[in-house]
């Protein structure tokens, strides 16, 4: 769950990202389903949201295509698609309250990077 300063703008923003609104209560709480899978995401209205160093990552199949689609819908990015040294491709942006978000594609490297720790067979 993230805190937001403008409920309506935030709901609209996350719907623009492709999340499906499944709960909206009292103009202060919303829950969304992700476009695939069973993961949900929530937001909550606060007068003065506390923004931390948390970054919400959304994995997509094609960062460049998703970036272009969101640019067309008016989403502003802090950083365009960039290849990272840890082998992911990322594009960073913020929601209307300033929460940090990142589109990324890691493929198999998300769970199985070359530097993955070996499992102890005795464990």
């Amino acid at each position: 769950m993230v805190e937001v300063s403008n409920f309506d703008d935030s709901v609209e923003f996350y719907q623009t990202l492709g999340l499906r609104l499944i709960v909206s209560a009292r103009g202060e709480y919303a829950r969304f389903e992700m476009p695939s899978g069973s993961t949900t995401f929530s937001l909550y209205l606060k007068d003065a949201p506390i923004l931390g160093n948390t970054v919400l990552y959304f994995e997509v199949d094609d960062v460049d295509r998703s970036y272009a689609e969101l640019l067309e819908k008016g989403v502003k990015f802090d950083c365009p698609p960039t290849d990272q040294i840890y082998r992911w491709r990322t594009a960073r942006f913020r929601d209307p309250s300033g929460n940090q978000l990142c589109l990324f594609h890691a493929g198999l490297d998300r769970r199985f990077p070359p530097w993955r720790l070996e499992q102890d067979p005795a464990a």
Side-chain angles (χ1 to χ4, degrees), residues 7-73:
F7 183 78
D8 293 333
D9 286 351
S10 296
V11 168
E12 181 180 338
F13 177 81
Y14 284 101
Q15 288 177 307
T16 297
L17 298 184
L19 281 64
R20 187 171 144 247
L21 183 64
I22 60 170
V23 174
S24 183
R26 302 173 306 279
E28 64 183 14
Y29 174 82
R31 186 177 318 132
F32 302 86
E33 285 180 333
M34 296 300 180
S36 63
S38 61
T39 302
T40 62
F41 171 78
S42 300
L43 56 85
Y44 186 76
L45 179 65
K46 291 287 266 192
D47 289 335
I50 298 172
L51 303 177
N53 290 325
T54 300
V55 181
L56 299 174
Y57 280 74
F58 296 96
E59 188 162 20
V60 296
D61 290 330
D62 185 332
V63 172
D64 295 83
R65 184 181 69 231
S66 296
Y67 170 81
E69 290 170 356
L70 292 175
L71 275 178
E72 286 181 18
K73 295 178 180 180

Side-chain angles (χ1 to χ4, degrees), residues 78-92:
D78 298 330
C79 179
T82 305
D83 290 325
Q84 303 298 330
I85 61 169
Y86 44 89
R87 301 167 48 125
W88 294 12
R89 186 151 178 84
T90 65
R92 292 179 176 264

